[in-house]
Amino acid sequence: MRLKITIAYDGTNYAGWQVQKNAISIQSLVQKAIEIVLRHPIQLSGSGRTDAGVHALGQTAHFDTDVDIDLSRLCYSANALLPLDIRILKAEKVKDDFHARYSAVGKTYHYHLQIDPVMDPKERLYRTQIFGPFDRSLLEKAIPHLIGGHDFTSFSNVRKNCDDTIRTLHRLDVFDEPGGIRLEFVGDGFLYKMVRNIVGTLIDVAAGRTLPDDIPKIFQGKNRKLAGPAALPQGLFLISVQYLDHQEMHKPFSE
Amino acid sequence: MRLKITIAYDGTNYAGWQVQKNAISIQSLVQKAIEIVLRHPIQLSGSGRTDAGVHALGQTAHFDTDVDIDLSRLCYSANALLPLDIRILKAEKVKDDFHARYSAVGKTYHYHLQIDPVMDPKERLYRTQIFGPFDRSLLEKAIPHLIGGHDFTSFSNVRKNCDDTIRTLHRLDVFDEPGGIRLEFVGDGFLYKMVRNIVGTLIDVAAGRTLPDDIPKIFQGKNRKLAGPAALPQGLFLISVQYLDHQEMHKPFSE
């Protein structure tokens, strides 16, 4: 049978989600914990990688097992083997053709910016501090240019030639939080570093280094050098991955 | 002139507030940062020590200087020299006879308990996880026995003979937060480890190991062994120190 798990993690201490040589990845720790509980090797497939330092409240992954184990017991036992900065929130039985990556129809990311000069020490690993001028109204003027279907090549560090660089950004909303703002991204999918590159560009816009109306030209140029630098990983959270059969937005913790 | 500063810190990485041999204390880092900005040695006097791993949102301290510096500039410059887990929130001119410790008329502490089995990874350094049974109504039945003026010897790790072990606990309230509860303590002063020993005793009460009505006997025995073990430092926050001339409760961050 195929199981889907939902995982929350603080990415600070890890080399990212994906298994890597010579570095501790979140995927490898979760996989090992489940293998110890089930007593057989598994192949854990995530919805996508998150980079070093990026956090998740609702990363998803799937694997196959024939062990008939109570699913809450599986979570409990695996969590007892995992460090406290990685938590399995849920395990669910899914159809055999479910795939954490290929069945996904959308993702939600949040990015936290600290604007007040003095940041809460508790938030230092979860927000990116803005230095210098920051005009939120300029940032908000740039957003309509980003919404919708676009070729996001200029906003992506695609490593190889990639045929499909078209993505649809359904929502990009700005919310106040104490000391700063939160940017909420909902889209059908995101290219490599796309969220962080958009945030870096929006920081440039808010600082007056880029005009809101420059965004269409950045898209048209299809050149990574036209957009701003990638914002730091620490402000980024993968909030949820959406599937057609699993519409609920899993968000168990207040941010 | 005498200056009062208000400081927030994440105590995770430090040996506590107080300067110690062979360990990095928060006091020593704050003092060094201010000395670099003012270009003369200072003697920084805190409102009291906090132990290793204990956090603060409103620790206070005072020092003297003759340097005529803009106070927001002093904070800004000292913060630029400090790690992000220590922030000076405010500097104020106070009367020459102000003393961070001896002028204090009250303190507020919060203690965070995680009751749900799965803790938000972001909160792992800021809450204490409860394992086993936890009956909040039992805990609440114990609270009235703790409020008011008592000899808190049984709840304190006083190191030497100490004449004055009478303290008044004005308030001890329980609030819900996502995944657990927060205990808010307001008192005229707290003996060494008093908050953590009370919390440890309340955890015993909620688990059924101690009866709510045992609290008066614990007071009467004046013996540390009668109360429960000290709760872990990581759930404890010094929220504010109250002074007669400075009545406002400084609480700049949402917890």
Side-chain angles (χ1 to χ4, degrees), chain A residues 22-113:
Chain A
N22 308 320
I24 297 174
S25 73
I26 295 148
Q27 181 186 6
S28 65
L29 291 179
V30 173
Q31 182 167 315
K32 273 179 208 163
I34 294 172
E35 286 175 342
I36 290 169
V37 175
L38 297 179
R39 302 186 191 184
H40 70 75
I42 63 163
Q43 185 56 52
L44 188 69
S45 256
S47 77
R49 65 181 67 183
T50 57
D51 282 328
V54 173
H55 316 291
L57 293 183
Q59 171 67 294
T60 55
H62 77 264
F63 63 94
D64 294 326
T65 183
D66 291 323
V67 177
D68 184 26
I69 184 171
D70 176 79
L71 295 182
S72 63
R73 180 160 188 80
L74 169 64
C75 293
Y76 182 89
S77 302
N79 280 331
L81 296 167
L82 284 165
L84 280 172
D85 51 8
I86 303 175
R87 296 286 92 183
I88 302 174
L89 305 177
K90 200 163 56 166
E92 303 161 84
K93 196 174 178 327
V94 287
K95 289 178 187 161
D96 288 345
D97 62 353
F98 173 88
H99 192 288
R101 181 171 173 196
Y102 300 119
S103 304
V105 295
K107 283 188 179 175
T108 300
Y109 283 96
H110 290 179
Y111 198 97
H112 301 267
L113 292 174

Side-chain angles (χ1 to χ4, degrees), chain A residues 134-210:
Chain A
F134 189 88
D135 183 337
R136 177 174 166 169
S137 68
L138 286 174
L139 182 152
E140 287 176 335
K141 278 181 194 147
I143 288 177
H145 295 300
L146 291 158
I147 300 294
H150 299 279
D151 182 331
F152 278 92
T153 298
S154 297
F155 293 95
S156 165
N157 300 24
V158 178
R159 284 158 176 181
K160 299 172 187 170
N161 281 332
C162 177
D163 286 341
D164 181 16
T165 49
I166 310 289
R167 293 290 183 278
T168 301
L169 188 59
H170 299 305
R171 286 209 301 113
L172 202 184
D173 294 320
V174 188
F175 294 93
D176 284 310
E177 34 182 39
I181 60 171
R182 177 177 74 249
L183 300 167
E184 297 196 0
F185 293 78
V186 181
D188 62 354
F190 292 86
L191 301 170
Y192 183 55
K193 288 204 178 169
M194 181 172 141
V195 177
R196 288 166 56 193
N197 290 335
I198 292 175
V199 172
T201 306
L202 289 173
I203 291 171
D204 277 355
V205 168
R209 290 187 290 269
T210 300

